[in-house]
Each structure stands twice: as structure tokens, then as C-alpha cells.
Amino acid sequence: MLGVIGWSGSGKTTLLEFLVGRLAGEGVRVNVVKHSHHDIALEPPHKDSARLRTAGAAEVMIASPYRIAIMRELREEQEPPLAALLARLAPADLTLVEGYKWEPLPKLEVYRPEVGKPAVYPDDPHIVAVASSMAAPAGLAPHIAWLDLNDPEAVLGWLKGYVALAA
């Protein structure tokens, strides 16, 4: 498992889309957990599943020959912890977690100084790599790999090596 963190607009999803696409194309089974701070609308309000959820169903599963989705209304419940969400996933070779900056798991930070937000890696001991549009700074902690965000092949190469080491 590897977390992928960074500020909005840094390129996390673009990088993840590349990594997942390439790994899946090589036969690697990849799961992704994506955290959002916004309400998530997965279905039009007039569809049966939305109507049943709105009527009070705790969970609604939609199943077809193409995909399965489970929607759970939290109502007054707190957001489930990451561990509970991970437990619901099917087995995979690699699980990538986008967001969840605060979780104590190994992380790749996507950092673009032009976004205007501070880097997270100086204050998070769980960051093992940074993919950035800038050169590595002087005094970088030796446990952090510095990757060129503009070279997604290099990031993919690092990820493959990291996953092999973590296996």
C-alpha cells in the first residue's frame, strides 16, 4: 500500500491515472481509494438506486455485468477509518490511497511549488518519495527519493522498485 498525497492542482490524479494504467496494462491488479472532502454524487437522483438510498436504505448495491458499486449513507455516522474501507476491497497486488494525508502509511507526495502551498515532506516522516516539478532541495532527508514529476516513466520505475522492496 502506498499513499499519494499533495495539494489540489498538484497533479496527483494525472500521475495516478498514468501509473494505474501502465501497471494494469502489465497485469498488476491495482486498487485505488480516493478521498474527497466534497459530497459525492454517483447516480442521478431519479434512478431507482438513488430513490432507495434516499428512502432510508443503509447501503445500496448496484450490480451489472460491467461493474458493482456500493453506496452507503453515513447519515449521522462518522466517516469510516481508512482501515475499515481497505477491508472492504478485493485483494490486489497494490493499493494506492489518494488523500488521507494524516494517515501513518508510506506516502508519495506530489509537490508543485507553483501551486503556492507548502511541501508536506519536511514534516511527515511517512513520506518515502516526492514527485516534483522542481529539483531536489539541498539537505533532503536520505530516506526520501526525489522524482521528476515531468517524467512519469521514472516515477513508475521507482514505484515498481519500491513495491518489489516492500513485498
Side-chain angles (χ1 to χ4, degrees):
M1 178 176 12
L2 181 70
V4 178
I5 66 163
W7 298 103
S8 179
S10 63
K12 296 181 306 294
T13 302
T14 300
L15 179 61
L16 278 168
E17 184 177 22
F18 173 81
L19 297 173
V20 170
R22 288 293 301 276
L23 291 168
E26 295 175 14
V28 178
R29 185 177 174 104
V30 182
N31 284 341
V32 176
V33 175
K34 164 77 173 104
H35 188 262
S36 177
H37 296 283
H38 309 286
D39 192 5
I40 303 168
L42 299 176
E43 70 222 311
H46 68 279
K47 297 305 263 179
D48 293 351
S49 55
R51 291 173 55 201
L52 295 168
R53 186 177 44 77
T54 303
E59 287 189 341
V60 175
M61 178 184 286
I62 303 171
S64 79
Y66 307 100
R67 67 191 51 89
I68 298 168
I70 298 175
M71 283 157 285
R72 177 177 173 191
E73 281 298 312
L74 295 178
R75 294 190 171 61
E76 300 300 318
E77 296 176 50
Q78 286 191 346
E79 180 178 348
L82 177 59
L85 300 174
L86 293 170
R88 294 189 76 154
L89 292 175
D93 300 312
L94 172 64
T95 297
L96 297 170
V97 178
E98 183 180 346
Y100 293 93
K101 284 185 186 103
W102 60 91
E103 288 286 337
L105 62 125
K107 295 177 210 133
L108 164 68
E109 179 179 5
V110 178
Y111 175 60
R112 283 188 194 273
E114 54 270 29
V115 168
K117 299 281 191 173
V120 177
Y121 71 87
D123 300 315
D124 186 339
H126 300 287
I127 293 178
V128 296
V130 176
S132 180
S133 59
M134 66 177 245
L140 181 68
H143 73 278
I144 298 176
W146 198 268
L147 310 166
D148 183 352
L149 182 58
N150 297 315
D151 184 0
E153 290 287 346
V155 178
L156 177 63
W158 172 84
L159 179 58
K160 287 179 176 180
Y162 179 79
V163 170
L165 291 175

